């Protein structure tokens, strides 16, 4: 048991996540014919678990890269600014890119990433997102592939997602309740 001043309420169990991620991976794989390399970019830190589960199903002709972003957040809300942490060394020009992101909330982060890779001359840019939170959307953007969509506005942790760096290790997804 995890001792916390907050309550964790289970949203998706490990087996449900596993099945859905596998299904989504097959859908993505079917859209890329495999004759051309697919560069899968993990958006750190939140997407690390989703990324590792997803890319296992992709077979060969896949390369992986990692980018770290920090979005300015005021507590549990996005403040709109996105900043890259460190340098992204992987050449992107001419490549088919799949951005693998944890959550699309306001949409600022995904918008930043799509522009970033297009500016670097990617042949195509698509995105796979573990969780869509449509309630706080500030920019008109939709991920190409989505594993789950929240029907209510919730702050979630687990399966890579943190609150103050905690709970990332949990294999399930929870709502964090005050
Ligand atoms: P956006 O730029 O779309 O507002 O926010 C994207 C980032 O905010 C996500 O990649 C994620 O890191 C963080 N975020 C948004 N909602 C949640 C949430 O419910 N839980 C956690 N742990 N992070 C969130
Ligand atoms: Mg993120």
């Amino acid at each position: 048991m995890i001792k916390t001043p907050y309550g964790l309420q289970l949203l998706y169990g490990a087996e449900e996540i596993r099945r859905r991620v596998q299904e989504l991976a097959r859908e993505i794989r079917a859209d890329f014919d495999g004759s051309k390399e697919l560069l899968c970019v993990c958006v750190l830190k939140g997407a690390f678990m989703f990324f590792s589960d997803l890319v296992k199903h992709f077979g060969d002709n896949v390369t992986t890269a990692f980018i770290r972003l920090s979005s300015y957040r005021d507590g549990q809300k996005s403040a709109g600014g996105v900043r890259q942490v460190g340098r992204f060394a992987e050449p992107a020009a001419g490549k088919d890119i799949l951005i693998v992101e944890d959550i699309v909330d306001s949409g600022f982060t995904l918008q930043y990433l799509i522009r970033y890779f297009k500016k670097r001359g990617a042949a195509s840019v698509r995105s796979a997102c573990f969780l869509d939170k449509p309630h706080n959307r500030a920019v008109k953007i939709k991920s190409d592939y989505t594993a789950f969509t929240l029907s209510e506005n919730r702050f979630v942790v687990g399966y890579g997602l943190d609150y103050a760096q905690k709970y990332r290790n949990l294999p399930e997804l929870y709502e964090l309740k005050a």
Side-chain angles (χ1 to χ4, degrees), residues 2 4 6-8 43-50 68-77 101-103 105 130-131 133 154-177:
I2 295 151
T4 161
Y6 298 99
L8 296 187
V43 185
L44 295 172
K45 301 176 188 173
F48 84 93
M49 214 174 266
F50 176 49
R68 181 142 177 226
L69 297 182
S70 152
S71 52
Y72 297 105
R73 297 188 76 79
D74 177 14
Q76 299 185 357
K77 275 226 163 64
E101 177 53 318
D102 52 3
I103 293 182
D105 187 23
F130 178 66
L131 192 69
K133 293 189 9 176
R154 298 179 152 129
F155 189 82
V156 299
V157 296
Y159 198 65
L161 292 152
D162 76 311
Y163 180 71
Q165 301 304 327
K166 278 181 77 180
Y167 314 120
R168 288 194 199 276
N169 59 307
L170 304 179
E172 307 86 9
L173 191 79
Y174 295 90
E175 177 179 9
L176 187 72
K177 286 195 145 174

Side-chain angles (χ1 to χ4, degrees), residues 118-175:
K118 284 193 172 158
K119 219 184 288 170
R120 289 178 151 226
S124 71
V125 182
R126 277 190 258 188
S127 59
C129 180
F130 178 66
L131 192 69
D132 189 4
K133 293 189 9 176
H135 297 84
N136 299 322
R137 201 71 101 249
V139 295
K140 201 169 179 292
I141 206 158
K142 200 172 185 301
S143 179
D144 299 292
Y145 306 96
T146 302
F148 295 100
T149 302
L150 281 190
S151 57
E152 281 171 60
N153 193 15
R154 298 179 152 129
F155 189 82
V156 299
V157 296
Y159 198 65
L161 292 152
D162 76 311
Y163 180 71
Q165 301 304 327
K166 278 181 77 180
Y167 314 120
R168 288 194 199 276
N169 59 307
L170 304 179
E172 307 86 9
L173 191 79
Y174 295 90
E175 177 179 9

